[in-house]
Amino acid sequence: MKETIGKVVLDYSKYPGEDFYSEGVSEDALLEVVEHQDASEYDRVILGTRSWPMLYHLSHIRGNVVSWLPINKSHTVLEVGAGCGAITGTLADMAKKVTCIELSKKRSLINATRNRHRNNIEILVGNFEDIEKDLEEKFDFITLIGVFEYAESYINDRNPYETFLKTVGKHLAPGGKIIIAIENQFGLKYFAGCKEDHTGTYYEGIEGYTNTEGVKTFSKKKIEELFTKTGFQQEFYYPYPDYKLPHTIYSDERLPKEGDLTTNKRNFDADRVIVFDESKVFDQVIREEMFPHYSNSFIAVLSYEDVVWDERTIYAKYSSERRDEYAIMTYMTEKNGERHVYKAALTPKANHHICEMKQRRERLV
């Protein structure tokens, strides 16, 4: 029971025959776009529709959440909850192979259609619990981007979050890593007047999800305890403004400085109120060395062994909202106690800009 769209293979052997989650007409519109528009036209479509689903599922900025990771063409990736493929293409460009698991057939069709020219993607359609039982391959990286918080919705267990992590961990290759991107239950934006992302209500998360079942985010302390309890070594990174549309990735080795956090009114998916000036409060939080506890989102890197990098990225800054010829990434790495700063082009057109920067630097030196 397989289908091929372009070069992408979809496997329906575990598909239950019905999509149990759908955004309805939004997904129909997305499929129409990816069928008839090249990826180079997505920004124009987003601007023309001014639709949150179009922005969320089609924006190239979504890929920033993983593109700083040291994934290369020797690595295999398992993407759990691949959705409409907002991250899949970025992972496929980095890795040797990407295996996706996605419950929704419609979303899988959108994913396959937009990535049909890539030859290293397979999409397994169905429930994670059903698919993983027959999944024999071990993976170098397993990504849970906006997925972990829903564990109690699709893991049939008394302790769904612990069970989910342990189950995912069984599919790691030696030295493999799990990448989790999730909102912080106590992210500053929720105190400042943003609705909780999953429930669409004010203060539901910071009040303890008293009216909600099926989804849950965690404080930094709580999620650290959960990772430790399930046997994982862990490192934390802090995407800003959040993991959905990040332009900066911070780490415990390179935290934000006063005055850095000024792009806070980017709550595109829902109305919000403004209770206080988030930039000023973030500055105070930074002075008190409390930023990791109030970051709007987390990226956690988990491993059963010590998390070891040949050259670890500790900071990344994206200029991906510029014109193609100026779209670059600045990132800082740490190796053997030394730090290095690099510039990289995010588009082929930006290579010329990088070369010009190098030439100007050489003339100054």
Side-chain angles (χ1 to χ4, degrees), residues 117-153:
H117 62 288
R118 294 180 169 94
N119 63 2
N120 60 342
I121 298 172
E122 180 182 22
I123 303 175
L124 309 178
V125 185
N127 185 280
F128 171 78
E129 283 190 307
D130 297 329
I131 291 172
E132 75 83 20
K133 293 173 185 176
D134 297 325
L135 199 61
E136 296 180 354
E137 186 176 353
K138 302 290 186 179
F139 299 89
D140 300 299
F141 288 87
I142 300 177
T143 65
L144 310 175
I145 310 298
V147 170
F148 184 62
E149 57 266 41
Y150 289 102
E152 63 186 58
S153 293

Short mmCIF file of all heavy atoms in Angstrom, two decimals, residues 117-153:
data_model
loop_
_atom_site.label_atom_id
_atom_site.label_comp_id
_atom_site.label_asym_id
_atom_site.label_seq_id
_atom_site.Cartn_x
_atom_site.Cartn_y
_atom_site.Cartn_z
N HIS A 117 10.42 16.84 -5.46
CA HIS A 117 11.68 16.80 -6.19
C HIS A 117 12.82 16.23 -5.35
O HIS A 117 13.91 15.99 -5.88
CB HIS A 117 12.06 18.20 -6.66
CG HIS A 117 12.28 19.17 -5.53
ND1 HIS A 117 11.25 19.67 -4.77
CD2 HIS A 117 13.43 19.71 -5.02
CE1 HIS A 117 11.74 20.49 -3.85
NE2 HIS A 117 13.06 20.52 -3.98
N ARG A 118 12.60 15.98 -4.07
CA ARG A 118 13.64 15.42 -3.21
C ARG A 118 13.53 13.90 -3.19
O ARG A 118 12.44 13.36 -3.02
CB ARG A 118 13.53 15.99 -1.80
CG ARG A 118 13.83 17.50 -1.73
CD ARG A 118 13.71 18.02 -0.31
NE ARG A 118 14.24 19.37 -0.17
CZ ARG A 118 13.49 20.48 -0.27
NH1 ARG A 118 12.17 20.38 -0.48
NH2 ARG A 118 14.05 21.68 -0.14
N ASN A 119 14.66 13.22 -3.29
CA ASN A 119 14.64 11.75 -3.45
C ASN A 119 15.02 10.99 -2.19
O ASN A 119 15.32 9.80 -2.26
CB ASN A 119 15.56 11.33 -4.61
CG ASN A 119 17.02 11.68 -4.34
OD1 ASN A 119 17.37 12.20 -3.27
ND2 ASN A 119 17.89 11.40 -5.31
N ASN A 120 15.04 11.67 -1.05
CA ASN A 120 15.48 11.00 0.19
C ASN A 120 14.43 11.11 1.30
O ASN A 120 14.77 11.17 2.48
CB ASN A 120 16.81 11.58 0.66
CG ASN A 120 16.75 13.08 0.94
OD1 ASN A 120 15.85 13.78 0.50
ND2 ASN A 120 17.74 13.58 1.68
N ILE A 121 13.15 11.14 0.92
CA ILE A 121 12.06 11.26 1.90
C ILE A 121 11.10 10.08 1.75
O ILE A 121 10.66 9.76 0.65
CB ILE A 121 11.28 12.58 1.70
CG1 ILE A 121 12.19 13.79 1.93
CG2 ILE A 121 10.08 12.63 2.65
CD1 ILE A 121 11.54 15.12 1.57
N GLU A 122 10.78 9.47 2.89
CA GLU A 122 9.71 8.47 2.95
C GLU A 122 8.74 8.89 4.04
O GLU A 122 9.17 9.29 5.13
CB GLU A 122 10.26 7.08 3.25
CG GLU A 122 9.18 6.00 3.31
CD GLU A 122 9.72 4.62 3.66
OE1 GLU A 122 10.81 4.55 4.25
OE2 GLU A 122 9.03 3.62 3.37
N ILE A 123 7.45 8.79 3.77
CA ILE A 123 6.43 9.20 4.74
C ILE A 123 5.60 7.98 5.12
O ILE A 123 4.96 7.35 4.27
CB ILE A 123 5.52 10.30 4.18
CG1 ILE A 123 6.35 11.51 3.74
CG2 ILE A 123 4.49 10.73 5.23
CD1 ILE A 123 5.54 12.62 3.06
N LEU A 124 5.64 7.63 6.40
CA LEU A 124 4.85 6.53 6.94
C LEU A 124 3.58 7.14 7.54
O LEU A 124 3.66 7.89 8.52
CB LEU A 124 5.64 5.76 8.00
CG LEU A 124 7.06 5.31 7.58
CD1 LEU A 124 7.74 4.60 8.75
CD2 LEU A 124 7.01 4.43 6.35
N VAL A 125 2.44 6.81 6.97
CA VAL A 125 1.18 7.45 7.35
C VAL A 125 0.45 6.55 8.35
O VAL A 125 0.16 5.38 8.05
CB VAL A 125 0.29 7.72 6.12
CG1 VAL A 125 -0.95 8.50 6.54
CG2 VAL A 125 1.08 8.50 5.06
N GLY A 126 0.15 7.10 9.52
CA GLY A 126 -0.58 6.34 10.53
C GLY A 126 -0.19 6.78 11.92
O GLY A 126 0.61 7.69 12.12
N ASN A 127 -0.74 6.11 12.92
CA ASN A 127 -0.48 6.42 14.32
C ASN A 127 0.92 5.98 14.71
O ASN A 127 1.37 4.88 14.36
CB ASN A 127 -1.52 5.75 15.21
CG ASN A 127 -1.38 6.14 16.66
OD1 ASN A 127 -0.54 5.62 17.37
ND2 ASN A 127 -2.21 7.07 17.09
N PHE A 128 1.60 6.81 15.47
CA PHE A 128 2.98 6.51 15.88
C PHE A 128 3.08 5.15 16.58
O PHE A 128 3.99 4.36 16.30
CB PHE A 128 3.50 7.61 16.80
CG PHE A 128 4.82 7.31 17.44
CD1 PHE A 128 6.00 7.45 16.73
CD2 PHE A 128 4.89 6.86 18.76
CE1 PHE A 128 7.22 7.14 17.31
CE2 PHE A 128 6.10 6.56 19.35
CZ PHE A 128 7.28 6.70 18.62
N GLU A 129 2.17 4.86 17.49
CA GLU A 129 2.23 3.60 18.24
C GLU A 129 2.16 2.39 17.32
O GLU A 129 2.82 1.38 17.55
CB GLU A 129 1.11 3.54 19.27
CG GLU A 129 1.36 4.38 20.52
CD GLU A 129 0.34 4.11 21.60
OE1 GLU A 129 -0.87 4.19 21.31
OE2 GLU A 129 0.75 3.82 22.73
N ASP A 130 1.35 2.48 16.26
CA ASP A 130 1.22 1.37 15.32
C ASP A 130 2.45 1.23 14.44
O ASP A 130 2.92 0.11 14.16
CB ASP A 130 -0.02 1.56 14.44
CG ASP A 130 -1.31 1.57 15.24
OD1 ASP A 130 -1.37 0.87 16.28
OD2 ASP A 130 -2.26 2.28 14.84
N ILE A 131 3.00 2.36 13.99
CA ILE A 131 4.12 2.34 13.06
C ILE A 131 5.42 1.92 13.73
O ILE A 131 6.19 1.12 13.19
CB ILE A 131 4.27 3.73 12.38
CG1 ILE A 131 3.10 3.98 11.44
CG2 ILE A 131 5.59 3.83 11.62
CD1 ILE A 131 3.05 5.39 10.88
N GLU A 132 5.68 2.45 14.92
CA GLU A 132 7.00 2.24 15.53
C GLU A 132 7.25 0.78 15.91
O GLU A 132 8.40 0.35 15.98
CB GLU A 132 7.19 3.16 16.75
CG GLU A 132 6.46 2.81 18.01
CD GLU A 132 7.18 1.77 18.86
OE1 GLU A 132 8.39 1.57 18.70
OE2 GLU A 132 6.50 1.14 19.69
N LYS A 133 6.18 -0.01 16.10
CA LYS A 133 6.35 -1.42 16.46
C LYS A 133 7.10 -2.19 15.36
O LYS A 133 7.80 -3.16 15.64
CB LYS A 133 4.98 -2.06 16.70
CG LYS A 133 4.26 -1.52 17.93
CD LYS A 133 2.85 -2.08 18.02
CE LYS A 133 2.09 -1.45 19.19
NZ LYS A 133 0.67 -1.91 19.24
N ASP A 134 6.92 -1.78 14.12
CA ASP A 134 7.56 -2.47 13.00
C ASP A 134 8.75 -1.68 12.44
O ASP A 134 9.27 -2.02 11.38
CB ASP A 134 6.54 -2.71 11.88
CG ASP A 134 5.41 -3.63 12.32
OD1 ASP A 134 5.69 -4.56 13.11
OD2 ASP A 134 4.27 -3.43 11.89
N LEU A 135 9.15 -0.63 13.14
CA LEU A 135 10.25 0.21 12.67
C LEU A 135 11.57 -0.38 13.14
O LEU A 135 11.90 -0.32 14.32
CB LEU A 135 10.05 1.64 13.20
CG LEU A 135 10.78 2.78 12.51
CD1 LEU A 135 10.36 2.90 11.05
CD2 LEU A 135 10.49 4.10 13.23
N GLU A 136 12.30 -0.96 12.23
CA GLU A 136 13.54 -1.66 12.60
C GLU A 136 14.77 -0.77 12.51
O GLU A 136 15.78 -1.02 13.18
CB GLU A 136 13.72 -2.88 11.68
CG GLU A 136 12.61 -3.91 11.85
CD GLU A 136 12.80 -5.12 10.95
OE1 GLU A 136 13.74 -5.09 10.12
OE2 GLU A 136 12.01 -6.08 11.07
N GLU A 137 14.73 0.26 11.69
CA GLU A 137 15.89 1.12 11.49
C GLU A 137 16.21 1.94 12.73
O GLU A 137 15.31 2.34 13.49
CB GLU A 137 15.63 2.06 10.31
CG GLU A 137 16.82 2.91 9.90
CD GLU A 137 16.54 3.75 8.66
OE1 GLU A 137 15.47 3.57 8.06
OE2 GLU A 137 17.39 4.59 8.32
N LYS A 138 17.48 2.19 12.97
CA LYS A 138 17.94 3.09 14.03
C LYS A 138 18.36 4.41 13.38
O LYS A 138 18.96 4.42 12.30
CB LYS A 138 19.12 2.49 14.79
CG LYS A 138 18.82 1.13 15.41
CD LYS A 138 17.86 1.22 16.58
CE LYS A 138 17.72 -0.14 17.26
NZ LYS A 138 16.79 -0.08 18.43
N PHE A 139 18.10 5.53 14.07
CA PHE A 139 18.30 6.84 13.47
C PHE A 139 19.32 7.67 14.25
O PHE A 139 19.40 7.59 15.47
CB PHE A 139 16.97 7.59 13.39
CG PHE A 139 15.94 6.89 12.55
CD1 PHE A 139 15.09 5.96 13.11
CD2 PHE A 139 15.84 7.17 11.19
CE1 PHE A 139 14.13 5.31 12.34
CE2 PHE A 139 14.89 6.52 10.41
CZ PHE A 139 14.04 5.59 10.97
N ASP A 140 20.05 8.49 13.51
CA ASP A 140 21.04 9.37 14.13
C ASP A 140 20.37 10.55 14.83
O ASP A 140 20.85 11.02 15.86
CB ASP A 140 22.02 9.88 13.07
CG ASP A 140 22.76 8.75 12.39
OD1 ASP A 140 23.46 8.01 13.09
OD2 ASP A 140 22.60 8.59 11.16
N PHE A 141 19.29 11.03 14.25
CA PHE A 141 18.52 12.12 14.85
C PHE A 141 17.03 11.78 14.75
O PHE A 141 16.57 11.28 13.73
CB PHE A 141 18.76 13.45 14.11
CG PHE A 141 20.12 14.05 14.35
CD1 PHE A 141 21.20 13.68 13.57
CD2 PHE A 141 20.32 14.99 15.35
CE1 PHE A 141 22.46 14.21 13.77
CE2 PHE A 141 21.57 15.54 15.57
CZ PHE A 141 22.64 15.15 14.78
N ILE A 142 16.32 12.06 15.83
CA ILE A 142 14.86 11.94 15.84
C ILE A 142 14.29 13.28 16.28
O ILE A 142 14.66 13.80 17.34
CB ILE A 142 14.37 10.82 16.79
CG1 ILE A 142 14.97 9.47 16.37
CG2 ILE A 142 12.85 10.75 16.79
CD1 ILE A 142 14.61 8.32 17.29
N THR A 143 13.43 13.86 15.46
CA THR A 143 12.90 15.18 15.78
C THR A 143 11.45 15.10 16.23
O THR A 143 10.63 14.39 15.64
CB THR A 143 13.00 16.14 14.58
OG1 THR A 143 12.16 15.67 13.51
CG2 THR A 143 14.44 16.24 14.07
N LEU A 144 11.15 15.83 17.28
CA LEU A 144 9.79 16.02 17.79
C LEU A 144 9.56 17.53 17.85
O LEU A 144 9.77 18.17 18.88
CB LEU A 144 9.63 15.39 19.18
CG LEU A 144 10.09 13.94 19.37
CD1 LEU A 144 9.97 13.54 20.84
CD2 LEU A 144 9.28 13.00 18.50
N ILE A 145 9.16 18.10 16.74
CA ILE A 145 8.98 19.55 16.65
C ILE A 145 7.50 19.87 16.82
O ILE A 145 6.68 19.59 15.94
CB ILE A 145 9.48 20.09 15.29
CG1 ILE A 145 10.89 19.57 14.97
CG2 ILE A 145 9.43 21.62 15.28
CD1 ILE A 145 11.95 20.00 15.95
N GLY A 146 7.15 20.43 17.99
CA GLY A 146 5.74 20.71 18.26
C GLY A 146 4.91 19.45 18.41
O GLY A 146 3.72 19.44 18.09
N VAL A 147 5.51 18.39 18.91
CA VAL A 147 4.86 17.08 18.99
C VAL A 147 4.78 16.56 20.42
O VAL A 147 3.75 16.01 20.83
CB VAL A 147 5.63 16.06 18.10
CG1 VAL A 147 5.12 14.64 18.34
CG2 VAL A 147 5.51 16.43 16.64
N PHE A 148 5.85 16.72 21.18
CA PHE A 148 5.94 16.10 22.49
C PHE A 148 4.78 16.50 23.40
O PHE A 148 4.28 15.68 24.19
CB PHE A 148 7.27 16.46 23.14
CG PHE A 148 7.51 15.79 24.46
CD1 PHE A 148 7.59 14.40 24.55
CD2 PHE A 148 7.67 16.53 25.62
CE1 PHE A 148 7.81 13.78 25.76
CE2 PHE A 148 7.89 15.91 26.83
CZ PHE A 148 7.96 14.53 26.90
N GLU A 149 4.32 17.74 23.29
CA GLU A 149 3.26 18.22 24.18
C GLU A 149 1.93 17.49 24.00
O GLU A 149 1.05 17.54 24.86
CB GLU A 149 3.05 19.73 24.01
CG GLU A 149 2.71 20.18 22.60
CD GLU A 149 3.93 20.61 21.82
OE1 GLU A 149 4.98 19.94 21.93
OE2 GLU A 149 3.84 21.61 21.09
N TYR A 150 1.77 16.77 22.87
CA TYR A 150 0.52 16.06 22.60
C TYR A 150 0.58 14.58 22.99
O TYR A 150 -0.34 13.82 22.66
CB TYR A 150 0.19 16.16 21.11
CG TYR A 150 -0.24 17.52 20.66
CD1 TYR A 150 0.63 18.36 19.97
CD2 TYR A 150 -1.53 17.99 20.90
CE1 TYR A 150 0.25 19.62 19.55
CE2 TYR A 150 -1.94 19.26 20.49
CZ TYR A 150 -1.03 20.06 19.81
OH TYR A 150 -1.43 21.31 19.39
N ALA A 151 1.62 14.16 23.69
CA ALA A 151 1.80 12.73 23.97
C ALA A 151 0.58 12.09 24.60
O ALA A 151 0.22 10.95 24.27
CB ALA A 151 3.03 12.53 24.85
N GLU A 152 -0.07 12.79 25.51
CA GLU A 152 -1.21 12.17 26.20
C GLU A 152 -2.41 12.00 25.28
O GLU A 152 -3.36 11.28 25.62
CB GLU A 152 -1.60 12.97 27.44
CG GLU A 152 -2.08 14.36 27.19
CD GLU A 152 -2.30 15.13 28.50
OE1 GLU A 152 -1.35 15.27 29.29
OE2 GLU A 152 -3.44 15.58 28.71
N SER A 153 -2.37 12.61 24.07
CA SER A 153 -3.46 12.44 23.11
C SER A 153 -3.33 11.16 22.31
O SER A 153 -4.33 10.61 21.83
CB SER A 153 -3.51 13.63 22.14
OG SER A 153 -3.87 14.82 22.80
#
